[in-house]
Structures are given as C-alpha cells and as structure tokens.
C-alpha cells in the first residue's frame, strides 16, 4: 500500500512539474497569452498568482473563481513550491508545483505559475491493490481447483485399487486389482499388489491342498483303527474295556477333526457342489427326529420353505447347530423354520446359559471355544459353528446369534427358491 501510494503521488507530482515547466517555457518564448492550456489533461488546475500570493491573475477553467492554490506567503520571495497541499477550495488533496515567471510576461514581475494535480482518494489508492487481491484470489481458486482436479485424477487409480482390495474375499484370491497404464509409480503399485495376491493365492492353495491331502490320507488309517477298536471292544474282558472305550472315543474325536478340516478345505476352495431345492423344514424335522438321545428337540416347521443348496451341506449345518444346542441346553431345544419375507428363517434356541453379547462373534472363529463349552464338551473341535456360517454364506445367507430371554438363539437366513414363496 505504501508503494502504491508513493507511486501514485510521485506520478501526480511529475505531471504538475511538467505542466508548470511547459507554461513557464511558453512564457519565456513569448507563446503564452492571457489564457492557459493544460493539454492534454484539461482537469489539471493551473493558476497564475500575483507576486504577493493574494490575487489570481489567470487560471484554467477548473481553477477559476477559486482562491490561490498555494497557501504559502509568496511575498517572502519563494521561488519554488513543490509539496502536497489540501486547500479548502478543492475536494481532497493535490500535489502543488509552482515557479516564478521571469520578465517579459503578460503578468507583473514575480508572478508565479502554480499547477495542482489532484491526488487519488483513499478509494482510488486502495482500488489497485484490492483489484490485485481479487485477481490473485481468482487465480488461487483456479490453481486450487486445477490442483484438486489433477491430483484427484492422478490418484483415482489408487482409490480404485483400494476399493478393489477392500472387496477381496480371503477365501477367493483369484481376483486381481486394476493396473493403470501410466508407466509410473501407480502402475508399479498395481503390479506389485497383483504380484502379492498371486503369491498369496499360491501359498493359500498349497495350504488347502496340504489340509485336503492330509485329511484324505488320514481318513483310511483312522477308519481302520476305529474298526479294530470296535472289534477289540467286543472281544475284550471287563478289565480292558474302559481303556478300549477311551481309545475309541479319542479315535472318533480325531475322525471328527479330520472330517471338519476336510470340509473347511472344500469350503475355502469354493469347490462346486451339486445344488437342488431343499425343503428346509423337512430337513430340520429329520435331523431332530434322528437325535433321540440327549436333550429333547422340538421342531416347529412351516411346510414348503424351500432353499437352493446342497442337501448334504444343509444337513451338516442343521447337525452342527442342533449338536451345539444340545450340549448347552438344560432341558429342551426348539427348532423353528418359517418364511420371513423373501428369506427362509431357521432358528435353533436352547434354554441354557446363553452367550454374552461380546462373545457372539468369537464363537464363529475357527477353533475358538468359550470356557463353558470346554467344560460341557471337552472333546469338541471348535469348528462346527464356523463351518455352519461359511455354508450359509456360500448360499447367500447369514448365520448370527440373536437376543433371547433365555439361552442362545441361532438364526440362519437363506434366500427362498423363487417359486417357493
């Protein structure tokens, strides 16, 4: 602002000085008359003041009928006036420049030619920097928008890679992320991510193959061992029977673990299984009737609730849920199958102690077992509920634990067969 003010003030002072010098030169050359001209700026104020500074001898039209512009006492013999002044006869302030006129001249000896150039007002002084500020703000806004737009376009592939990574399923690592052809760091990022996914898929496949192969290889020896123990138990004497029964139970538990691991391997690999329309209510009733030992199971089923799935896997889900309910129930288990909008709803509820809300997701983790579960069934594997949830998710459904007044209530939802509703 100081620079702008000084520049404008110096500009007006130079104009006043040049105008005065030109008029004095014209007088000296004898070209000046009783009328004054301030070409090219007709708004400049010019006066010829008497030697005592009291009388205006000549003036340009804008300066006529105005008192002398210079307030100094010219009678003292001042030869030069060059300063800022604010006379009451003009609005605002002006830069005043005056020179004495030598003889011969149209005016008395010692007359002074005074030029006043109005100085810009405060509004005019502020106008330039404010205009510059406005232009700078517009430019900054354009730069900001262009930067945001350019960076947004540059990082759009990164955001796409992030979204695709977030959508990857740990059980299906065959998908790959988008690789932009930018020939730069972002392309290298996409290629690195896909390389990592490739190595992860290969490692996961090796793990699944190992579990599957090991499970298959263990099934035959375990089945043979179980058969031999059963035959030995039939022929054993009373003294060795408890030991053989214990060994047979351990063998059965080992067989259950191997079967669960084999099923998990199949589920993780998403190996295709034949599907058909399964009456969920009838399957639940058959599973409940089959479990005549232990806690009584009551089946309340709505007819015609059909889902599309593999019958063996549905039977495994029902068996796992009912087995879990029987282990934790005090006296009864209720199995309910009904329609709920466009889904088939299966509820398995026991009257046991229930599951705390903060532990409801933990029971679906592989090999996770709560303390009460370990006390009631030390031989459990901790894989039944995870297998049941994964089967439900494979067929587009869910398996959760809902609130209940007493005990635990497992709720599975599966899409209905279109013509079943």
């Amino acid at each position: 602002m100081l620079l702008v003010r000084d520049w404008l003030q110096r500009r007006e002072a130079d104009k006043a000085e040049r105008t005065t010098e030109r008029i004095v030169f014209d007088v000296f050359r004898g070209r000046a008359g009783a009328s004054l001209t301030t070409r090219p700026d007709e708004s400049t104020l010019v006066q010829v003041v008497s030697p005592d500074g009291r009388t205006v001898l000549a003036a340009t039209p804008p300066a006529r009928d105005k008192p002398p512009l210079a307030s100094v006492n010219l009678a003292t013999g001042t030869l030069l006036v060059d300063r800022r002044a604010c006379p009451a006869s003009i609005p605002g302030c002006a830069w005043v420049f005056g020179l004495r006129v030598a003889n011969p001249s149209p005016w008395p000896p010692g007359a002074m030619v005074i030029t006043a150039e109005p100085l810009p007002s405060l509004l005019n002084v502020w106008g330039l920097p404010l205009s510059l500020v406005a232009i700078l703000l517009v430019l900054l806004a354009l730069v900001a928008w262009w930067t945001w737009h350019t960076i947004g376009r540059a990082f759009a592939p990164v955001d796409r890679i992030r979204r695709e990574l977030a959508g990857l399923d740990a059980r299906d690592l065959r998908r790959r992320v988008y690789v932009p052809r930018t020939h730069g760091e972002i392309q290298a990022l996409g290629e690195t991510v896909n390389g990592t996914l490739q190595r992860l898929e290969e490692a996961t496949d090796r793990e699944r193959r190992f579990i599957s192969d090991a499970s298959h290889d263990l099934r035959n020896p375990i089945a043979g061992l179980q058969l031999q123990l059963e035959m030995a138990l039939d022929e054993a004497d009373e003294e060795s029977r408890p030991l053989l029964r214990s060994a047979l139970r351990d063998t059965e538990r080992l067989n259950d673990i191997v079967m669960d691991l084999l099923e998990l391997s199949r589920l993780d690999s998403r190996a295709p299984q034949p599907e058909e329309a399964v009456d969920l209510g009838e399957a639940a009733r058959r599973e409940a009737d089959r479990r005549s030992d232990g806690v009584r199971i009551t089946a309340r089923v709505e007819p015609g609730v059909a889902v599309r799935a593999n019958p063996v896997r549905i039977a495994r889900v029902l068996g796992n849920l009912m087995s879990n309910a029987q282990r934790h129930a005090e006296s009864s288990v209720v199995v309910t199958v009904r329609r709920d909008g466009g889904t088939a709803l299966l509820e398995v509820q026991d009257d046991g102690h229930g599951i705390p809300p903060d532990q409801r997701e933990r029971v679906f983790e592989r090999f996770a077992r709560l303390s009460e579960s370990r006390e009631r069934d030390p031989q459990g594997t901790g894989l039944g509920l995870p297998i049941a949830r994964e089967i439900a998710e494979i067929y587009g459904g869910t398996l959760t634990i809902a609130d209940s007044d007493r005990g635990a209530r497992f709720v599975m939802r599966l899409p209905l067969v279109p013509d079943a509703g």
Side-chain angles (χ1 to χ4, degrees):
M1 281 300 301
L2 291 174
L3 291 174
V4 171
R5 185 197 65 182
D6 292 344
W7 177 78
L8 292 174
Q9 184 171 283
R10 189 67 260 168
R11 186 188 66 176
E12 300 305 318
D14 290 343
K15 287 173 59 179
E17 182 178 353
R18 288 194 301 269
T19 301
T20 301
E21 290 175 346
R22 181 181 56 79
I23 294 174
V24 171
F25 183 74
D26 288 344
V27 171
F28 178 75
R29 299 292 297 272
R31 291 200 296 260
S35 62
L36 302 175
T37 176
T38 58
R39 60 182 188 279
D41 191 354
E42 296 296 335
S43 64
T44 302
L45 305 175
V46 179
Q47 292 178 341
V48 179
V49 183
S50 62
D52 59 1
R54 296 179 180 178
T55 305
V56 177
L57 303 176
T60 56
R64 291 173 186 168
D65 302 325
K66 295 183 183 298
L69 296 173
S71 59
V72 296
N73 187 3
L74 299 184
T76 60
T78 302
L79 298 178
L80 176 67
V81 176
D82 187 14
R83 64 186 182 83
R84 183 175 181 272
C86 300
S89 58
I90 63 173
C93 297
W95 192 269
V96 178
F97 187 87
L99 285 175
R100 295 280 185 178
V101 181
N103 286 330
S105 73
W107 306 289
M112 178 173 279
V113 177
I114 298 175
T115 302
E117 288 288 348
L119 294 175
S121 63
L122 183 62
L123 179 62
N124 293 332
V125 173
W126 278 94
L128 179 60
L130 288 178
S131 300
L132 293 175
V133 168
I135 294 173
L136 286 175
L137 288 177
V138 172
L139 290 176
L140 285 175
L142 289 175
V143 170
W145 175 83
W146 180 253
T147 303
W148 174 82
H149 179 71
T150 304
I151 293 178
R153 290 184 59 185
F155 282 95
V158 178
D159 187 60
R160 180 173 175 179
I161 292 173
R162 180 195 61 79
R163 292 196 307 269
E164 292 180 358
L165 272 177
L168 286 178
D169 191 339
R171 291 178 292 271
D172 184 11
L173 298 174
R174 291 170 295 180
R175 294 170 53 189
R176 296 294 181 264
V177 301
Y178 166 72
V179 178
R181 299 304 174 186
T182 58
H183 305 288
E185 289 78 2
I186 298 179
Q187 178 177 345
L189 173 64
E191 293 171 349
T192 302
V193 170
N194 283 338
T196 303
L197 290 175
Q198 177 71 27
R199 291 190 294 274
L200 184 59
E201 180 186 7
E202 294 173 355
T204 305
D205 287 343
R206 287 194 297 269
E207 178 186 354
R208 290 170 182 167
R209 286 196 298 269
F210 169 76
I211 294 175
S212 179
D213 294 344
S215 300
H216 275 104
D217 293 342
L218 288 173
R219 288 177 64 185
N220 291 334
I222 292 174
L225 178 61
Q226 186 174 352
L227 179 60
Q228 294 177 18
L229 289 173
E230 289 174 352
M231 294 174 61
L233 185 62
D234 292 338
E235 300 174 0
D237 52 27
E238 292 299 328
E239 183 177 353
S240 58
R241 280 180 180 273
L243 182 60
L244 291 174
R245 288 194 184 97
S246 177
L248 183 60
R249 285 194 300 270
D250 289 341
T251 304
E252 291 173 348
R253 180 171 181 267
L254 181 60
N255 184 67
D256 291 340
I257 293 175
V258 170
M259 294 300 293
D260 286 343
L261 289 174
L262 183 59
E263 182 65 19
L264 280 177
S265 176
R266 292 169 179 164
L267 293 174
D268 287 343
S269 64
R270 291 296 191 263
Q273 297 289 330
E275 298 179 6
E276 61 184 64
V278 179
D279 190 319
L280 189 60
E282 287 301 318
R285 191 189 301 278
R286 286 194 302 269
E287 185 66 27
D289 293 341
R290 189 176 68 84
R291 296 176 175 276
S292 56
D293 298 337
V295 177
R296 180 174 57 89
I297 299 178
T298 303
R300 301 171 182 172
V301 301
E302 180 180 333
V305 181
V307 298
R308 187 161 192 81
N310 180 269
V312 176
R313 285 183 169 175
I314 289 296
R316 188 176 186 89
V317 172
L318 294 171
N320 289 354
L321 293 177
M322 292 184 192
S323 296
N324 179 77
Q326 281 185 310
R327 286 196 300 269
H328 296 88
E330 297 291 341
S331 59
S332 65
V333 174
V334 177
V335 178
T336 305
V337 177
R338 59 183 176 85
R339 293 185 182 87
D340 185 17
T343 62
L345 181 67
L346 167 72
E347 293 185 358
V348 179
Q349 182 167 0
D350 61 66
D351 59 352
H353 296 290
I355 301 174
D358 59 338
Q359 298 291 322
R360 289 179 181 176
E361 283 300 313
R362 185 169 178 269
V363 299
F364 292 108
E365 297 176 3
R366 298 181 181 184
F367 301 104
R369 305 189 67 200
L370 304 183
S371 58
E372 181 184 352
S373 177
R374 287 192 293 268
E375 293 173 0
R376 287 179 172 268
D377 183 21
Q379 305 299 319
T381 64
L383 293 174
L385 294 178
I387 290 175
R389 169 173 273 190
E390 291 199 26
I391 291 175
E393 291 177 351
I394 284 176
Y395 296 118
T398 60
L399 177 59
T400 58
I401 302 176
D403 295 333
S404 60
D405 296 334
R406 183 181 180 186
R409 181 162 67 103
F410 288 81
V411 179
M412 182 178 71
R413 295 179 180 272
L414 292 174
L416 283 169
V417 174
D419 58 355

